[in-house]
Structure formats: structure tokens, C-alpha cells
Amino acid sequence: NEVRDALAEGIIIHEMCVPARFVIRRGRLAGMETVRTVKVFDAYGSYSLEFKKGSGGAIGADVVFVAIGQDPHTPAIDGVPEALNRDGTVKVDARTLMTGLDGIFAGGDAVSGPATIAEAVGHGKRAAFHIDRYLRGESLDAALPNPLPAVDKDEVLARQREFPASAVDTRELPADERVRNFGEVQIALTEEETLSSASNCLNCGICSECHECRIVCPADAVDLDMRAEEREIEIGTVVVSTGFKLFPAELMERYGFGKCRNVITSMQMDRIVAPTRPFNYVLRPGDGRRPANIAYVLCTGSRDHTMKNAICSRVCCMYSMKQAQLLLGALPVADVTLYYIDIRAYGKGYDEFYEQTKAMGVRFVKGKVAKITEKDGGNLILRYEDIDGGGAIREAEHDLVVLSVGFVPNPEFMRLFRDATLEHDDTLFVREPEEHVNPGRTSIDGVFAAGAATGPMDIPDTILHSGAAAAQAASYLEGLKRKP
């Protein structure tokens, strides 16, 4: 599958071809000369290359990655007669794993050659058993104790009638799509597919019922006899904390997300500038080039009646400035521009952060972006209203555009209660009838809401609001105890 995917993504594979030497021109790598092989292994199965004379060719390259192989590391027994096999692996007794040197044992890849972790672990356990007997002065002829019994095939297959296997096919992005973005190649499973795949855990086709999983589980959470059941639990109060969802940027068709190769969302940029970023560098997805001129479009999907989302998401300004500072750290000579309607830096230290971002060289343009179009080569043209420039319509070219998407409500809370309706406000967040007096209280007695379920909040405000909801719930429970 890996070879198939590589070919689909445009990787060229030169078979039976090895490098002979690298070509350097003007102090820089220009490529490498190769020679073709006619044989890789000898009659004993050992790695032994033979080359065809005069079969060399040249491959141009700017960068070369040298993929080294592995050989047994045996300096401790080098020079010992007949200690090694022809392929360089250590010669041992097949049953005890003792070498030709008394008291010295070997295992793993040094004995078997490249193999699996499971085989190496098996060697380790077998060698440890015989080493223990050797140190005790006992015979090495003993067999390993308590081998696991073979599992009856018919018994295992019979389980599948109770928990039938349901294969879940994995899906991948098409090759021409995945080479142009930083998205995961394998598409995530849907909720139904995840549940279906998880149910296969009960189809124990390879389980020998050793119960080791139950023994080693520190939380004692493995119950091999458990069956599905529904429970009704009586509770005194509920805290709804269903959070928010991000505005789907593809709804802003004029901004080109999903069509223009180098238009991404702020969440995608957050992944790119993270310490664990995909390529350990900031690259634009369209062609893998290093961007030199980056634009942020704030309020994407927020404060926009045409998108039925008139609210301010409260966090977009600050996280965009944070990303801008991180970008300047990763790309010191890059130009970063933020297109905004209003900067709302209202929290403690937020205005200072805004001034610091400007002082670092980030350019702020007050204006509403009307449209983003893509040029040949992948660069982008932003058409916007320059408010500070008298409302003139201007255009600017950028290598990469980041859409700072805002918050939209998560409607899951509307389906949580069977016999009552949890009211929502005009923006479809959970309604707090007495927001300023009793934060967290909702339209249902004993039900409280926390954090961004009630509206857009940043992390500090979410923590404070959740603490208030928890206090309200605790107070409500205490009141129930005092009732006769």
C-alpha cells in the first residue's frame, strides 16, 4: 500500500539501482550517479550486491536523504572462531540461545536478522529463562514453563455469531488533494463507523483468554464478561458544558476556502506553527514553498448577518495576534498583515499584547475583505475596503491567507432533555435568564450551563464561568438536602 500511495503522489522509484557517487557543482549538490545491480542476495540468502558494468546513470537532485540499513553489532565476539553466521548474525543454540561462548547468550535482531518486536521479546524471555537456570547451576535442557494452550479454532469462531465482525473500510484523501495540503491522509471515521469498528474488539478472533490485559490494567477497568446495558441514574443537578463549534469557512465562498490552494483556516495555521508542526517549518500547502507575505482575515463568519452569525466571537483578534507573533519567530523576514473590522483586546494585558504585536512589525489594515482570488502560481489577491484610507477599494497580493474563523453555537444541548426544553437565546447559545445575577442558571430548575455553551468566551472567562456554574450546582444540591 505504501508503494502504491507513493506512486500515486508522483514519487519516482528506480528499482535495482544504487548510488555510486554524489555530484557536486560549484560547492552545491547537483545530483548523483548510479549503477544498476544484477543480484542482491547470494546463494545463502545473504545480502551481496553485484553490479552491471557500464550501467550507470545520473539523477538530478537538490537534496539527498541517506537511508541507512542495519547490521548486527557484535564487537564483543569479533575474532571468536565460528561465533558468527555467514550473514554476520550471532550463531546460537536454537533452543537456549546460548552462543558458542559459555555463559553468553544472544537474541533479537543480532540473532534473527531484521525481525519483529514480538520475535525480539520472545527471544528475550527465552534467553532470560535459560540465563536464570545457568546462574543457578541447573540444566539448560528444561522447557519453558506454563506454555499457553492452543486456542480451539471452532470455539473462537463460535464467538463471532454473538459479536459478528463488521469490517470498516478506511478512506484516504485523493493523491492530488493530499499533496497540496497539511490534512491527514487518512480520513477520520464517522461516529457510526467508529462504533462499528470498536464493536470488533468483542470479536476475539486472536484472543487466547490469557487475561493479561485485565491483570495489568491499573484502573481494573477490563471486564471480559461485560455486556451492553442501559442504566438510569438518579441525579440532583446537571451542568451543560457542550461548548461551541467553529464557523465552517467553506460557507464564505467568496474567500475561496477549499478552492484556493493557499487559503487556510486559523486552526490549520495553529497546527502549522505548533512545536510539533508537520514539516518542522512553516510552508504553504499549495506547493510547499516558504511564504513571505501572509494575510489574516479577521471576523471570518463573525459579525456577519449574511452568514446568520451577527455576534463577535471575542477570541479571533487575540489568537490571530498570537499566531502572527509565532510566525515572525519562525519567519523573521516575512510580512504579516491583519485585516480587521475592529480590534477587541479587552482583557487584562490584552491591549499591551496588541501594542507589542504592532511593535514587532505586524501590519494592521482596518477594512472588510470582499473577495479572495487565486493567481497562476498560487498567490492570492485580496480585494478589500480600506476604511482608514477613506473607504477606497484596494487590492493586495499575498502568498498565504489565513481565515480567522469565529464561534458558532453547538446545538447538541437542545436534544439532551426529553421532557423539558432548554431555552436558547437569539444566537442559539444556552440562555441564562439572570446572566448578571445568577450566571450559569438556565430555564430548567437544577440545570446549569458552563463556559462557551452560553456564548463565545476565551479560556480565562470559561474557567471563571465554569467555576460559577459548579458553585451554583453545589448550592442547589445543598438546598435539596435541607428540604423536608
Side-chain angles (χ1 to χ4, degrees):
N1 288 342
E2 285 78 7
V3 173
R4 179 202 65 197
D5 291 344
L7 292 173
E9 292 182 11
I11 304 299
I12 300 172
I13 299 176
H14 299 271
E15 298 180 358
M16 303 294 286
C17 179
V18 297
R21 71 182 186 92
F22 295 121
V23 178
I24 307 297
R25 295 197 185 108
R26 297 179 181 177
R28 296 178 63 87
L29 177 71
M32 64 181 182
E33 293 181 358
T34 63
V35 61
R36 300 194 64 80
T37 60
V38 293
K39 188 172 70 172
V40 178
F41 299 101
D42 61 18
Y44 299 96
S46 299
Y47 186 71
S48 178
L49 289 176
E50 285 188 15
F51 305 104
K52 182 180 179 181
K53 292 183 179 180
S55 63
I59 298 175
D62 297 324
V63 179
V64 171
F65 295 90
V66 180
I68 59 174
Q70 64 180 46
D71 287 319
H73 186 61
T74 58
I77 55 176
D78 285 349
V80 177
E82 299 185 1
L84 302 176
N85 296 307
R86 290 179 58 87
D87 61 357
T89 57
V90 181
K91 188 180 295 185
V92 297
D93 181 275
R95 186 173 55 81
T96 66
L97 296 181
M98 182 185 278
T99 68
L101 300 175
D102 188 46
I104 297 187
F105 297 76
D109 289 3
V111 170
S112 63
T116 64
I117 294 176
E119 290 173 287
V121 171
H123 275 194
K125 289 186 175 181
R126 191 191 314 172
F129 171 75
H130 288 101
I131 289 171
D132 181 68
R133 294 188 65 83
Y134 178 86
L135 294 174
R136 295 174 184 274
E138 298 173 353
S139 171
L140 300 185
D141 293 333
L144 289 171
N146 302 321
L148 292 174
V151 179
D152 182 76
K153 176 182 177 181
D154 294 332
E155 182 183 344
V156 171
L157 294 177
R159 300 185 192 132
Q160 297 182 1
R161 286 192 287 271
E162 184 177 359
F163 303 109
S166 52
V168 177
D169 295 329
T170 57
R171 304 185 305 280
E172 296 181 349
L173 287 176
D176 60 339
E177 228 179 286
R178 62 179 181 250
V179 298
R180 294 189 284 106
N181 61 47
F182 295 110
E184 297 290 343
V185 171
Q186 195 171 87
I187 299 172
L189 300 178
T190 64
E191 181 178 354
E192 292 77 14
E193 289 171 337
T194 302
L195 293 173
S196 179
S197 180
S199 68
N200 288 334
C201 295
L202 297 176
N203 177 26
C204 301
I206 58 172
C207 177
S208 58
E209 296 188 2
C210 65
H211 292 197
E212 283 295 320
C213 56
R214 185 177 67 183
I215 294 171
V216 302
C217 179
D220 195 24
V222 179
D223 183 354
L224 299 175
D225 299 318
M226 181 178 286
R227 296 293 183 267
E229 62 175 318
E230 290 187 5
R231 296 181 181 178
E232 288 191 5
I233 303 173
E234 186 175 347
I235 56 175
T237 184
V238 172
V239 177
V240 176
S241 184
T242 48
F244 62 92
K245 291 188 176 182
L246 288 175
F247 177 82
E250 60 271 15
L251 295 182
M252 300 283 288
E253 294 184 8
R254 62 183 183 274
Y255 285 174
F257 179 73
K259 298 177 182 177
C260 300
R261 294 169 294 170
N262 296 311
V263 175
I264 63 175
T265 67
S266 48
M267 283 300 294
Q268 291 173 315
M269 176 55 80
D270 205 71
R271 176 76 177 94
I272 294 173
V273 298
T276 55
R277 49 185 176 259
F279 300 109
N280 199 34
Y281 208 81
V282 176
L283 305 173
R284 69 178 192 171
D287 51 16
R289 280 180 45 205
R290 186 184 308 173
N293 192 341
I294 304 167
Y296 275 77
V297 179
L298 275 60
C299 296
T300 299
S302 299
R303 304 177 67 188
D304 192 332
H305 288 280
T306 65
M307 292 291 108
K308 298 181 180 179
N309 190 34
I311 62 173
C312 170
S313 294
R314 298 180 59 179
V315 301
C316 310
C317 293
M318 298 311 298
Y319 76 58
S320 299
M321 285 188 274
K322 178 200 76 172
Q323 290 185 6
Q325 291 198 16
L326 292 173
L327 282 170
L328 291 178
L331 303 168
V333 297
D335 294 325
V336 181
T337 304
L338 270 63
Y339 294 87
Y340 69 97
I341 302 174
D342 297 292
I343 292 295
R344 296 190 169 176
Y346 58 87
K348 181 179 180 181
Y350 286 9
D351 187 66
E352 289 83 353
F353 192 85
Y354 168 47
E355 295 296 334
Q356 180 186 62
T357 306
K358 288 198 295 184
M360 291 177 67
V362 175
R363 180 169 171 251
F364 287 80
V365 175
K366 184 176 178 66
K368 182 70 173 177
V369 175
K371 189 176 181 181
I372 300 174
T373 55
E374 186 177 48
K375 294 179 59 179
D376 293 340
N379 281 6
L380 302 150
I381 300 296
L382 268 71
R383 185 177 176 85
Y384 67 97
E385 177 189 11
D386 185 1
I387 295 175
D388 285 342
I393 304 301
R394 304 187 189 280
E395 291 186 348
E397 182 173 342
H398 297 277
D399 297 345
L400 179 66
V401 173
V402 184
L403 305 180
S404 297
V405 291
F407 289 1
V408 293
N410 180 4
E412 289 297 321
F413 70 86
M414 300 180 189
R415 297 188 286 269
L416 292 177
F417 301 92
R418 184 182 305 167
D419 301 322
T421 300
L422 190 61
E423 295 181 3
H424 57 76
D425 59 19
D426 294 339
T427 59
L428 300 183
F429 286 94
V430 178
R431 187 172 79 88
E432 299 173 279
E434 300 175 305
E435 179 180 358
H436 302 295
V437 180
N438 287 312
R441 285 188 177 273
T442 68
S443 59
I444 302 176
D445 190 38
V447 176
F448 304 91
T454 64
M457 293 185 191
D458 62 5
I459 293 174
D461 284 350
T462 298
I463 293 172
L464 289 172
H465 193 272
S466 300
Q472 292 272 31
S475 176
Y476 182 83
L477 287 175
E478 187 63 27
L480 291 179
K481 293 178 182 178
R482 294 177 182 177
K483 288 183 179 180

